[in-house]
Amino acid sequence: MTRETLLLTIRFVFLLLLQVLVLNNIHFLGYINPNLYLLFVFLYPLEKERGNFIFISFLLGLCVDFFSNSGGINAAATVCIAYLRLPLLKLILNKYDLDYKLFHLMSESLLKVFLFITLLTFVHHSLFYFLDYFSFKDVGMLAYKVITASIFTIILSILVLILFDRKKIY
Amino acid sequence: MQQIVYFIQKYKYFLLFVLLELVAFLCTIQSKAYQKSQFINSANSFTGGLLNMSNSVFEFTSLKKENLRLSSENTVLKNELEKFKSSRFLENKKLTDSNQHYISAKIIQNNFHKRNNYLTIDKGILDGIHSDMGVVNSKGIIGVVNQVSNKYATVLSILHSKSKINAKIKGSHYFGTLAWDGVDYQYSQLRDIQRQAPLKIGDTIISGGKSLLFPEGIPIGVVHDFKKTPKSFDNIKIKLFNDMSNLGYLQIIQNSDKNEIEKLIRQND
């Protein structure tokens, strides 16, 4: 087991427990729970072989589902953003195969990171709430929940990223 | 053949993505079907045990409120007991065995912010819990038991799109169905009430007793608002007695006659 796998395992377990035991009980304004476990997807190292990454993201979503009795909605949404991550990074940050090893999310400019996180979070939450409601009967309600929950998740993710970024301290 | 291998090689990530999405969609659809055995639920011993542990840490935060509720429930029960004692003394009746039994349980996880909400409780098959049992507390109805494991169970909350509960207006015999529209966890909706029913704002709604899950007369809420059209009642909004965001202990109703009645109904079909 290399140092990197160990770090990823710890991050996986920590984010999962944080999500299901603490963040799922926040109920800010009555219904908003931030989905901070998406940080795992944002921070996963870039690899050319994406199979492992997509599968691990699926497992993370499924584990969250197990605790919150939600069928497979977290898993579906997380797999979706895991698949979309690489094309999006290529598009926003202009990454090529050679840069993959040196990739470090917080060393990019904050605006680009913000755009990257916003798009992924928005896709995740849209799919998440659509699968939860499973109808387009009240689209307004759906859009309202997606937007408010996304804002909360984005703010929290960026704060955590800034706070726990070790490279900036050195 | 080579074409197929090439195709799989080229699109392997996309195929993996589609496969995993399909699995997740299947799990989601299965979880929407009420009363099917669901693979993904928090009633298994690992998730249940972990939630139980976490709950025991944070439990003290709601102790004060829970104590108040219990003490007021005790007062009500004692008053009823006194009434019952005096009436029995007068009529000299004998006590008969009731067909309803209550099993007490603790909530270890509560959801109310989603469209479809479940609770997890710390009692299971070993304590005599089965699926399709009514769940209440002293203030009113909470839901119906859904999935059961040996030590834990999940409860389909009344805040769930599949939850339909038979309800009626207190003091009359007009029946309706309680269903939740997914907007506010403090309010639920009453449907299918006859137009001629004497409905007023402030009327109490109780369980109807037409289902086998709940005995008649368990409180649900009060009528908060409604619109009357020439054909029917619209948007009857019920303010629930229970604050679904703050639940502690609850009771599960065990109806010993349920099997017998169900057998009779099945014979009719």
Side-chain angles (χ1 to χ4, degrees):
Chain A
M1 199 186 243
T2 60
R3 188 169 169 270
E4 195 164 278
T5 11
L6 189 70
L7 188 77
L8 281 176
T9 319
I10 293 172
R11 196 187 284 159
F12 184 97
V13 175
F14 177 73
L15 281 176
L16 174 67
L17 291 182
L18 183 74
Q19 182 66 39
V20 297
L21 298 181
V22 182
L23 297 175
N24 275 355
N25 299 316
I26 284 189
H27 305 306
F28 181 63
L29 296 182
Y31 60 87
I32 303 174
N33 284 343
N35 288 319
L36 202 65
Y37 73 94
L38 298 185
L39 275 182
F40 185 81
V41 179
F42 300 153
L43 289 175
Y44 197 89
L46 277 183
E47 284 163 1
K48 208 164 182 311
E49 297 291 318
R50 289 192 286 159
N52 284 343
F53 169 55
I54 292 176
F55 190 69
I56 292 172
S57 305
F58 173 75
L59 275 187
L60 180 62
L62 203 67
C63 288
V64 176
D65 279 326
F66 261 110
F67 280 94
S68 47
N69 283 312
S70 44
I73 59 179
N74 281 300
T78 316
V79 167
C80 183
I81 61 164
Y83 182 73
L84 289 179
R85 189 181 81 136
L86 195 65
L88 204 67
L89 270 179
K90 276 184 184 165
L91 201 73
I92 296 177
L93 304 177
N94 296 321
K95 287 287 166 195
Y96 297 101
D97 294 9
L98 277 176
D99 305 328
Y100 285 0
K101 275 272 172 261
L102 294 168
F103 170 72
H104 181 249
L105 188 65
M106 288 314 282
S107 54
E108 306 296 331
S109 77
L110 199 62
L111 190 73
K112 282 181 174 172
V113 174
F114 176 74
L115 194 65
F116 169 68
I117 289 180
T118 306
L119 282 173
L120 284 190
T121 311
F122 193 70
V123 170
H124 177 276
H125 282 50
S126 308
L127 200 58
F128 178 86
Y129 280 104
F130 168 65
L131 287 176
D132 192 10
Y133 277 70
F134 224 68
S135 80
F136 281 120
K137 225 160 72 186
D138 35 15
V139 184
M141 178 82 188
L142 208 68
Y144 178 69
K145 282 206 168 176
V146 168
I147 290 169
T148 45
S150 296
I151 290 173
F152 202 41
T153 304
I154 292 163
I155 292 176
L156 208 66
S157 318
I158 289 184
L159 282 182
V160 169
L161 277 178
I162 292 173
L163 272 177
F164 291 92
D165 180 37
R166 267 181 283 151
K167 283 247 167 95
K168 282 258 166 79
I169 301 170
Y170 297 138
Chain B
M1 191 61 205
Q2 212 173 0
Q3 286 282 321
I4 298 171
V5 173
Y6 177 72
F7 178 80
I8 292 175
Q9 272 293 325
K10 194 177 174 194
Y11 292 105
K12 61 183 173 188
Y13 298 127
F14 184 71
L15 289 175
L16 178 69
F17 163 69
V18 170
L19 180 80
L20 291 178
E21 284 287 2
L22 272 180
V23 173
F25 280 150
L26 278 181
C27 291
T28 312
I29 289 164
Q30 202 197 18
S31 81
K32 305 259 177 213
Y34 173 54
Q35 273 310 306
K36 284 245 181 83
S37 66
Q38 296 158 5
F39 172 60
I40 294 172
N41 64 63
S42 64
N44 64 55
S45 58
F46 180 71
T47 51
L50 206 61
L51 289 170
N52 200 4
M53 232 163 64
S54 135
N55 183 64
S56 63
V57 175
F58 295 107
E59 201 183 1
F60 70 92
T61 54
S62 61
L63 273 184
K64 202 171 168 185
K65 224 168 188 175
E66 196 59 30
N67 273 338
L68 273 175
R69 194 185 64 79
L70 280 177
S71 130
S72 64
E73 186 184 3
N74 265 344
T75 324
V76 173
L77 289 178
K78 272 190 178 155
N79 283 338
E80 291 216 334
L81 192 67
E82 286 304 318
K83 262 190 247 166
F84 183 68
K85 267 184 192 162
S86 55
S87 70
R88 212 181 106 213
F89 179 71
L90 287 172
E91 295 168 21
N92 205 6
K93 270 187 191 162
K94 275 203 169 168
L95 271 173
T96 49
D97 260 353
S98 159
N99 59 355
Q100 311 279 0
H101 289 275
Y102 291 89
I103 304 167
S104 172
K106 191 174 80 181
I107 293 178
I108 55 174
Q109 189 212 24
N110 183 12
N111 275 325
F112 53 89
H113 65 286
K114 290 188 288 195
R115 178 68 185 93
N116 300 306
N117 297 291
Y118 293 90
L119 310 145
T120 313
I121 57 173
D122 69 340
K123 290 278 162 74
I125 295 171
L126 298 179
D127 308 284
I129 312 280
H130 302 288
S131 57
D132 266 342
M133 287 168 109
V135 179
V136 298
N137 72 0
S138 65
K139 286 182 180 167
I141 285 181
I142 289 172
V144 178
V145 176
N146 190 24
Q147 301 286 321
V148 201
S149 74
N150 278 340
K151 278 151 89 185
Y152 302 97
T154 59
V155 176
L156 188 91
S157 156
I158 51 172
L159 307 179
H160 191 290
S161 56
K162 287 286 185 308
S163 164
K164 302 259 186 299
I165 285 161
N166 180 261
K168 71 172 190 178
I169 306 162
K170 196 177 181 180
S172 78
H173 288 285
Y174 290 101
F175 288 96
T177 310
L178 192 78
W180 188 52
D181 65 355
V183 178
D184 189 340
Y185 65 85
Q186 295 181 36
Y187 297 94
S188 189
Q189 276 66 32
L190 190 64
R191 289 179 194 155
D192 311 330
I193 280 259
Q194 291 289 318
R195 189 180 56 90
Q196 65 269 32
L199 195 65
K200 289 191 298 291
I201 286 174
D203 274 357
T204 307
I205 303 296
I206 55 176
S207 67
K210 290 234 164 146
S211 76
L212 298 169
L213 304 175
F214 299 101
E216 193 180 333
I218 292 179
I220 295 174
V222 291
V223 178
H224 182 77
D225 188 21
F226 66 86
K227 272 185 217 131
K228 199 172 183 180
T229 60
K231 273 188 180 164
S232 63
F233 285 111
D234 262 0
N235 291 326
I236 309 179
K237 217 172 165 187
I238 309 291
K239 173 133 177 65
L240 298 170
F241 286 130
N242 257 325
D243 179 1
M244 295 300 285
S245 67
N246 188 12
L247 298 170
Y249 287 80
L250 43 72
Q251 285 92 39
I252 296 128
I253 305 171
Q254 198 173 31
N255 189 339
S256 49
D257 290 350
K258 193 179 153 212
N259 283 341
E260 205 177 323
I261 300 172
E262 271 179 350
K263 216 166 140 191
L264 273 177
I265 294 173
R266 233 176 285 140
Q267 277 170 4
N268 276 342
D269 289 341

